[in-house]
Amino acid sequence: MVRVTTTDRRAVLRAGAGIVASGALTTGCAPGTAASPRTPASPAPSSRTPASHTPAPAPLLHYPAQISHGPRDRPRVALTFHGGGDPATAHAVLAAAEEHGSRVTVFAVGTWLDAHPGLARSVLGGGHELGNHTLRHLDINAMPEADADAEIRGCAQRLKALTGSVGTWFRPSRGARASPLVERLARRAGYPHVLSYDVDSLDFTSPGAPAVVANVMADVRAGSIVSLHFGYADTVAAFPGLLHELDRRGLRAVTTTELLT
């Protein structure tokens, strides 16, 4: 049983007000999950002023093309969020992270950015990291080459219009790892590495906040990259308790770039 302090409970009430009641949901990235209906692709938002500059991706020596964890000898972890769903859940998680002094990495879906372009500023303005999670969050590993390429480049165009770069990292939609084709297409689009993960919170199954925390803490260790999602009330409710448990383990939540460099 995860212990949630009075301070944590207050943070949950502040961050999650209205979210649990509304049952805000999005679609998770479990392999094989059926794609939900999405807004058709729209032109990249070229007229918007960049929120702030985010570094362009750079190859990291001594790391494979697909990275699932960082160094195991430093007490750091990367909490990575799949960006979609009700923006209120994103704002609640980001606020809780900043109050705690933690940083996260957000993999934005391109159509989500089309609908909520201000979220790019919210992520980067809080010292967090922003990456590419494809244009429409479909099963990219099952797509023909031209379609998969359009998914990667479509999100990259939106990120560049909003932030000045294509984003620091790429993660495939609806799968923990990229196929060899998707890996090659991502590299061609400017992403030297594909970011996977070694800890799955399973928050997209809506198991309850205590289960989300327990799922992470059962497998997390130094260097872990944790998969989480915006758009779920359980994630918002679990987040303060998760940060508390990481503190108890002596693990600090940092951006993925901080974890790996």
Side-chain angles (χ1 to χ4, degrees), residues 25-27 38 81-87 89-90 106-109 112 116 119 133 137 229-232:
L25 298 175
T26 188
T27 304
R38 297 281 166 177
F81 285 85
H82 302 228
D86 185 345
T89 61
V106 177
F107 287 93
V109 175
W112 188 62
H116 312 289
L119 282 168
H133 199 36
H137 199 265
H229 294 74
F230 292 150
Y232 290 87

Side-chain angles (χ1 to χ4, degrees), residues 35-45 48 83-85 107-116 131-140 143 146-160 162 166 169-174 182 189 191:
S36 60
R38 297 281 166 177
T39 304
S42 57
R48 293 168 185 155
F107 287 93
V109 175
T111 53
W112 188 62
L113 290 176
D114 285 345
H116 312 289
N132 181 329
H133 199 36
T134 75
L135 178 60
R136 294 176 295 161
H137 199 265
L138 304 176
D139 186 356
I140 192 169
M143 288 181 170
D147 293 343
D149 187 58
E151 284 292 309
I152 297 169
R153 292 184 182 277
C155 186
Q157 289 166 2
R158 281 135 174 92
L159 287 166
K160 189 163 187 178
L162 290 170
V166 298
W169 302 97
F170 169 76
R171 174 172 288 168
S173 50
R174 300 191 180 277
V182 171
Y191 303 95

Side-chain angles (χ1 to χ4, degrees), residues 79 96-104 126 128 239 243 252-254:
L79 303 179
E98 289 155 28
E99 182 178 349
H100 187 267
S102 299
R103 298 293 177 262
V104 303
H128 310 290
F239 196 60
L243 293 175
R252 179 177 169 230
V254 298

Side-chain angles (χ1 to χ4, degrees), residues 7-232:
T7 300
D8 293 331
R9 283 193 291 270
R10 283 199 295 265
V12 170
L13 290 172
R14 288 198 305 271
I19 294 172
V20 175
S22 66
L25 298 175
T26 188
T27 304
C29 287
T33 303
S36 60
R38 297 281 166 177
T39 304
S42 57
S46 57
S47 63
R48 293 168 185 155
T49 303
S52 64
H53 184 70
T54 188
L60 299 176
L61 300 177
H62 313 303
Y63 281 101
Q66 298 201 49
I67 301 172
S68 59
H69 65 82
R72 298 298 193 186
D73 59 351
R74 291 183 289 179
R76 300 177 179 179
V77 298
L79 303 179
T80 65
F81 285 85
H82 302 228
D86 185 345
T89 61
H91 287 299
V93 169
L94 294 174
E98 289 155 28
E99 182 178 349
H100 187 267
S102 299
R103 298 293 177 262
V104 303
T105 300
V106 177
F107 287 93
V109 175
T111 53
W112 188 62
L113 290 176
D114 285 345
H116 312 289
L119 282 168
R121 186 180 302 276
S122 297
V123 172
L124 297 177
H128 310 290
E129 204 159 44
L130 193 60
N132 181 329
H133 199 36
T134 75
L135 178 60
R136 294 176 295 161
H137 199 265
L138 304 176
D139 186 356
I140 192 169
N141 286 330
M143 288 181 170
E145 180 171 349
D147 293 343
D149 187 58
E151 284 292 309
I152 297 169
R153 292 184 182 277
C155 186
Q157 289 166 2
R158 281 135 174 92
L159 287 166
K160 189 163 187 178
L162 290 170
T163 73
S165 92
V166 298
T168 310
W169 302 97
F170 169 76
R171 174 172 288 168
S173 50
R174 300 191 180 277
R177 295 182 64 81
S179 68
L181 171 62
V182 171
E183 180 185 312
R184 176 167 59 82
L185 293 175
R187 187 164 53 249
R188 194 166 74 190
Y191 303 95
H193 301 278
V194 172
L195 197 73
S196 184
Y197 48 87
D198 63 329
V199 178
D200 192 344
S201 69
L202 299 176
D203 57 348
F204 60 89
T205 66
S206 297
V212 172
V213 178
N215 290 340
V216 173
M217 299 311 298
D219 296 321
V220 74
R221 57 192 176 115
S224 283
I225 298 174
V226 182
S227 172
L228 294 147
H229 294 74
F230 292 150
Y232 290 87

